[in-house]
């Protein structure tokens, strides 16, 4: 276990040492070294009586709730509609032009529209994140539900297997690898859109902290926010991969046998 972890993460300390040496050689305020950044992170967020400072608790929790909640909404909408569209040809013919149009619209472009509709508040961030991340989930769900082994579905229908069991036991498991591919793309995209939406449409959160650091020209704080977001993205992706490996263990086994 430890050896595997070392093999995966050995490049990180090497990179930080190189970064520290480069920052010392350049001696520019625009590229602080990792030690200064970590010190600033500790001062701002991790020096409170219960580890987190009041500032960290005020800004981190709302961002995490928004990004997880928005992702959950997008999963329900994207998977539900995607499977329905993928299994219903006439519905696909109607909505696919709208889907192609919607996915071509850059999510940040919708931010001013959501600001007009909802004013400043969590609704703006949630709408921006959901709009941006629902497309990879939706498209992969459509593709997964459409490209099934029809022999299994038809055989189950002939033997009188109820529709809900066909969906749960045949259609959903067969589409799951594609669905999870879309979900994985949406995780990193959700973090990006969280920051973008909080830069201009929030009074709290990671994006707001980054905006304040930029306004104050506080380069260590700017880099501290960037590093923290990178760590958060890595943690979310690792957690998702752990869940994916467990849920799709049957698929990996079948792929090896094939």
């Amino acid at each position: 276990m430890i050896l595997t972890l070392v093999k995966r993460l050995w490049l990180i300390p090497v990179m930080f040492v190189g970064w520290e040496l480069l920052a010392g050689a350049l001696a520019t305020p625009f590229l602080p070294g990792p030690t200064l950044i970590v010190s600033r992170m500790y001062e701002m967020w991790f020096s409170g009586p219960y580890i987190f400072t009041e500032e960290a608790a005020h800004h981190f929790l709302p961002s995490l709730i928004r990004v997880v909640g928005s992702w959950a909404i997008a999963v329900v909408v994207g998977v539900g509609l995607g499977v329905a569209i993928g299994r219903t040809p006439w519905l696909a013919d109607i909505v696919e032009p709208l889907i192609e149009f919607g996915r071509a619209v850059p999510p940040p472009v919708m931010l001013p529209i959501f600001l007009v509709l909802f004013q400043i508040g969590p609704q703006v961030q949630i709408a921006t994140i959901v709009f941006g991340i629902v497309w990879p989930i939706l498209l992969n769900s459509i593709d997964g539900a459409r490209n099934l082994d029809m022999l299994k579905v038809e055989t189950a229908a002939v033997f009188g297997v109820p529709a809900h069991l066909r969906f749960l036991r045949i259609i959903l498991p067969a589409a799951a690898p594609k669905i999870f591919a879309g979900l994985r793309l949406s995780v990193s995209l959700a973090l990006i859109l969280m920051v973008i939406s909080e830069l201009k449409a929030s009074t709290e959160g990671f994006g707001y902290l980054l905006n304040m650091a930029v306004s104050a020209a506080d380069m260590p704080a700017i880099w501290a926010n960037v590093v923290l977001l990178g760590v958060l993205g890595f943690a979310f992706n690792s957690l998702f991969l752990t869940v994916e490996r467990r849920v799709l263990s049957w698929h990996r086994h079948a792929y090896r046998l094939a």
Side-chain angles (χ1 to χ4, degrees):
M1 177 68 180
I2 297 178
L3 184 60
T4 303
L5 195 63
V6 170
K7 287 181 178 179
R8 289 188 60 194
L9 303 179
W10 67 269
L11 189 59
I12 294 177
V14 173
M15 182 193 72
F16 276 111
V17 170
W19 184 354
E20 189 72 44
L21 294 174
L22 180 63
L26 295 177
T28 171
F30 300 106
L31 184 66
T35 52
L36 179 58
I37 294 171
V38 171
S39 175
R40 191 76 174 94
M41 292 172 68
Y42 175 78
E43 176 191 338
M44 292 189 299
W45 303 320
F46 304 110
S47 59
Y50 301 102
I51 299 178
F52 291 108
T53 63
E54 185 177 343
E55 180 186 42
H58 178 70
H59 291 286
F60 292 175
L61 190 59
S63 284
L64 293 176
I65 291 174
R66 279 194 288 263
V67 76
V68 173
S70 301
W71 188 77
I73 293 171
V75 169
V76 172
V77 173
V79 174
L81 286 179
V83 173
I85 294 168
R87 300 303 307 153
T88 314
W90 64 264
L91 181 60
D93 292 338
I94 295 172
V95 302
E96 280 190 345
L98 297 176
I99 292 174
E100 292 302 321
F101 173 81
R103 69 188 287 258
V105 177
V109 172
M110 297 297 295
L111 185 56
I113 297 175
F114 293 141
L115 274 171
V116 172
L117 292 175
F118 303 117
Q119 305 300 319
I120 291 180
Q123 302 95 326
V124 177
Q125 289 88 49
I126 293 171
T128 304
I129 297 169
V130 171
F131 178 83
I133 68 176
V134 75
W135 305 112
I137 301 173
L138 178 63
L139 292 171
N140 278 275
S141 298
I142 292 172
D143 192 34
R146 180 176 290 161
N147 298 310
L148 300 179
D149 184 353
M150 290 306 300
L151 180 60
K152 293 181 180 179
V153 179
E154 291 169 359
T155 301
V158 167
F159 279 94
V161 177
H164 71 281
L165 287 180
R166 292 203 302 270
F167 174 76
L168 292 174
R169 300 290 178 84
I170 300 175
I171 296 173
L172 198 58
K178 280 283 188 179
I179 292 173
F180 268 87
L183 296 180
R184 186 176 181 185
L185 288 173
S186 70
V187 170
S188 56
L189 189 57
L191 285 174
I192 295 170
L193 292 173
M194 176 195 73
V195 176
I196 291 174
S197 64
E198 290 175 349
L199 285 173
K200 297 297 181 183
S202 180
T203 57
E204 60 188 10
F206 288 102
Y208 177 78
L209 286 176
L210 183 59
N211 199 28
M212 291 300 99
V214 171
S215 300
D218 188 346
M219 293 306 301
I222 293 173
W223 279 99
N225 279 279
V226 171
V227 170
L228 186 62
L229 286 167
V231 171
L232 185 63
F234 178 81
F236 276 3
N237 188 63
S238 299
L239 179 61
F240 180 82
L241 287 177
T242 301
V243 174
E244 182 185 32
R245 278 194 291 267
R246 288 183 178 275
V247 174
L248 297 182
S249 59
W250 61 269
H251 176 70
R252 302 165 79 91
H253 180 68
Y255 181 78
R256 290 195 193 97
L257 291 178

